[in-house]
PDB file of all heavy atoms in Angstrom:
ATOM      1  N   GLU A 382      28.752  -5.006  -2.652  1.00 97.00           N
ATOM      2  CA  GLU A 382      27.850  -3.842  -2.628  1.00 97.00           C
ATOM      3  C   GLU A 382      27.191  -3.657  -1.265  1.00 97.00           C
ATOM      4  O   GLU A 382      26.082  -3.140  -1.172  1.00 97.00           O
ATOM      5  CB  GLU A 382      26.772  -3.955  -3.716  1.00 97.00           C
ATOM      6  CG  GLU A 382      27.298  -3.851  -5.131  1.00 97.00           C
ATOM      7  CD  GLU A 382      28.019  -2.542  -5.384  1.00 97.00           C
ATOM      8  OE1 GLU A 382      27.851  -1.580  -4.616  1.00 97.00           O
ATOM      9  OE2 GLU A 382      28.794  -2.486  -6.357  1.00 97.00           O
ATOM     10  N   GLY A 383      27.891  -4.069  -0.212  1.00 98.00           N
ATOM     11  CA  GLY A 383      27.369  -3.922   1.136  1.00 98.00           C
ATOM     12  C   GLY A 383      26.708  -5.215   1.588  1.00 98.00           C
ATOM     13  O   GLY A 383      25.779  -5.694   0.944  1.00 98.00           O
ATOM     14  N   THR A 384      27.227  -5.789   2.685  1.00 98.00           N
ATOM     15  CA  THR A 384      26.655  -7.038   3.200  1.00 98.00           C
ATOM     16  C   THR A 384      25.268  -6.749   3.811  1.00 98.00           C
ATOM     17  O   THR A 384      24.885  -5.579   3.986  1.00 98.00           O
ATOM     18  CB  THR A 384      27.559  -7.628   4.303  1.00 98.00           C
ATOM     19  OG1 THR A 384      27.643  -6.656   5.349  1.00 98.00           O
ATOM     20  CG2 THR A 384      28.948  -7.962   3.794  1.00 98.00           C
ATOM     21  N   THR A 385      24.589  -7.816   4.178  1.00 98.00           N
ATOM     22  CA  THR A 385      23.230  -7.674   4.729  1.00 98.00           C
ATOM     23  C   THR A 385      23.220  -6.740   5.954  1.00 98.00           C
ATOM     24  O   THR A 385      22.403  -5.822   6.039  1.00 98.00           O
ATOM     25  CB  THR A 385      22.689  -9.075   5.118  1.00 98.00           C
ATOM     26  OG1 THR A 385      22.907  -9.946   4.005  1.00 98.00           O
ATOM     27  CG2 THR A 385      21.215  -9.032   5.461  1.00 98.00           C
ATOM     28  N   ASN A 386      24.143  -6.982   6.871  1.00 98.00           N
ATOM     29  CA  ASN A 386      24.139  -6.147   8.084  1.00 98.00           C
ATOM     30  C   ASN A 386      24.493  -4.696   7.768  1.00 98.00           C
ATOM     31  O   ASN A 386      23.930  -3.774   8.353  1.00 98.00           O
ATOM     32  CB  ASN A 386      25.127  -6.705   9.117  1.00 98.00           C
ATOM     33  CG  ASN A 386      24.576  -7.940   9.819  1.00 98.00           C
ATOM     34  OD1 ASN A 386      23.399  -8.237   9.698  1.00 98.00           O
ATOM     35  ND2 ASN A 386      25.430  -8.660  10.530  1.00 98.00           N
ATOM     36  N   ILE A 387      25.428  -4.500   6.874  1.00 98.00           N
ATOM     37  CA  ILE A 387      25.835  -3.130   6.534  1.00 98.00           C
ATOM     38  C   ILE A 387      24.666  -2.380   5.894  1.00 98.00           C
ATOM     39  O   ILE A 387      24.430  -1.197   6.177  1.00 98.00           O
ATOM     40  CB  ILE A 387      27.081  -3.163   5.613  1.00 98.00           C
ATOM     41  CG1 ILE A 387      28.298  -3.660   6.402  1.00 98.00           C
ATOM     42  CG2 ILE A 387      27.361  -1.804   4.975  1.00 98.00           C
ATOM     43  CD1 ILE A 387      28.656  -2.857   7.651  1.00 98.00           C
ATOM     44  N   LEU A 388      23.900  -3.073   5.087  1.00 98.00           N
ATOM     45  CA  LEU A 388      22.748  -2.423   4.457  1.00 98.00           C
ATOM     46  C   LEU A 388      21.622  -2.204   5.464  1.00 98.00           C
ATOM     47  O   LEU A 388      20.893  -1.218   5.390  1.00 98.00           O
ATOM     48  CB  LEU A 388      22.270  -3.240   3.264  1.00 98.00           C
ATOM     49  CG  LEU A 388      23.278  -3.219   2.106  1.00 98.00           C
ATOM     50  CD1 LEU A 388      22.890  -4.211   1.037  1.00 98.00           C
ATOM     51  CD2 LEU A 388      23.398  -1.841   1.501  1.00 98.00           C
ATOM     52  N   ALA A 389      21.501  -3.137   6.404  1.00 98.00           N
ATOM     53  CA  ALA A 389      20.499  -2.940   7.450  1.00 98.00           C
ATOM     54  C   ALA A 389      20.856  -1.676   8.245  1.00 98.00           C
ATOM     55  O   ALA A 389      19.992  -0.857   8.580  1.00 98.00           O
ATOM     56  CB  ALA A 389      20.449  -4.158   8.362  1.00 98.00           C
ATOM     57  N   LEU A 390      22.157  -1.493   8.500  1.00 97.00           N
ATOM     58  CA  LEU A 390      22.593  -0.291   9.223  1.00 97.00           C
ATOM     59  C   LEU A 390      22.429   0.956   8.351  1.00 97.00           C
ATOM     60  O   LEU A 390      22.158   2.047   8.852  1.00 97.00           O
ATOM     61  CB  LEU A 390      24.050  -0.440   9.674  1.00 97.00           C
ATOM     62  CG  LEU A 390      24.280  -1.524  10.743  1.00 97.00           C
ATOM     63  CD1 LEU A 390      25.774  -1.732  11.008  1.00 97.00           C
ATOM     64  CD2 LEU A 390      23.552  -1.176  12.047  1.00 97.00           C
ATOM     65  N   ASP A 391      22.575   0.780   7.038  1.00 98.00           N
ATOM     66  CA  ASP A 391      22.369   1.919   6.129  1.00 98.00           C
ATOM     67  C   ASP A 391      20.918   2.392   6.199  1.00 98.00           C
ATOM     68  O   ASP A 391      20.638   3.593   6.079  1.00 98.00           O
ATOM     69  CB  ASP A 391      22.738   1.524   4.688  1.00 98.00           C
ATOM     70  CG  ASP A 391      22.681   2.719   3.751  1.00 98.00           C
ATOM     71  OD1 ASP A 391      23.279   3.764   4.091  1.00 98.00           O
ATOM     72  OD2 ASP A 391      22.017   2.629   2.700  1.00 98.00           O
ATOM     73  N   THR A 392      20.014   1.449   6.421  1.00 97.00           N
ATOM     74  CA  THR A 392      18.602   1.814   6.574  1.00 97.00           C
ATOM     75  C   THR A 392      18.440   2.737   7.788  1.00 97.00           C
ATOM     76  O   THR A 392      17.757   3.754   7.720  1.00 97.00           O
ATOM     77  CB  THR A 392      17.773   0.523   6.791  1.00 97.00           C
ATOM     78  OG1 THR A 392      18.054  -0.356   5.723  1.00 97.00           O
ATOM     79  CG2 THR A 392      16.304   0.797   6.849  1.00 97.00           C
ATOM     80  N   LEU A 393      19.132   2.377   8.870  1.00 96.00           N
ATOM     81  CA  LEU A 393      19.051   3.232  10.070  1.00 96.00           C
ATOM     82  C   LEU A 393      19.704   4.591   9.802  1.00 96.00           C
ATOM     83  O   LEU A 393      19.242   5.622  10.291  1.00 96.00           O
ATOM     84  CB  LEU A 393      19.722   2.561  11.270  1.00 96.00           C
ATOM     85  CG  LEU A 393      19.161   1.209  11.727  1.00 96.00           C
ATOM     86  CD1 LEU A 393      19.750   0.804  13.066  1.00 96.00           C
ATOM     87  CD2 LEU A 393      17.637   1.240  11.825  1.00 96.00           C
ATOM     88  N   ARG A 394      20.795   4.583   8.997  1.00 96.00           N
ATOM     89  CA  ARG A 394      21.457   5.846   8.648  1.00 96.00           C
ATOM     90  C   ARG A 394      20.477   6.766   7.914  1.00 96.00           C
ATOM     91  O   ARG A 394      20.371   7.952   8.205  1.00 96.00           O
ATOM     92  CB  ARG A 394      22.680   5.578   7.778  1.00 96.00           C
ATOM     93  CG  ARG A 394      23.392   6.849   7.337  1.00 96.00           C
ATOM     94  CD  ARG A 394      24.450   6.600   6.260  1.00 96.00           C
ATOM     95  NE  ARG A 394      25.672   6.020   6.778  1.00 96.00           N
ATOM     96  CZ  ARG A 394      26.049   4.760   6.583  1.00 96.00           C
ATOM     97  NH1 ARG A 394      25.301   3.962   5.848  1.00 96.00           N
ATOM     98  NH2 ARG A 394      27.172   4.306   7.075  1.00 96.00           N
TER      99      ARG A 394
END
Side-chain angles (χ1 to χ4, degrees):
E382 292 301 342
T384 60
T385 311
N386 284 348
I387 291 303
L388 291 171
L390 293 173
D391 186 50
T392 306
L393 300 191
R394 178 191 284 108

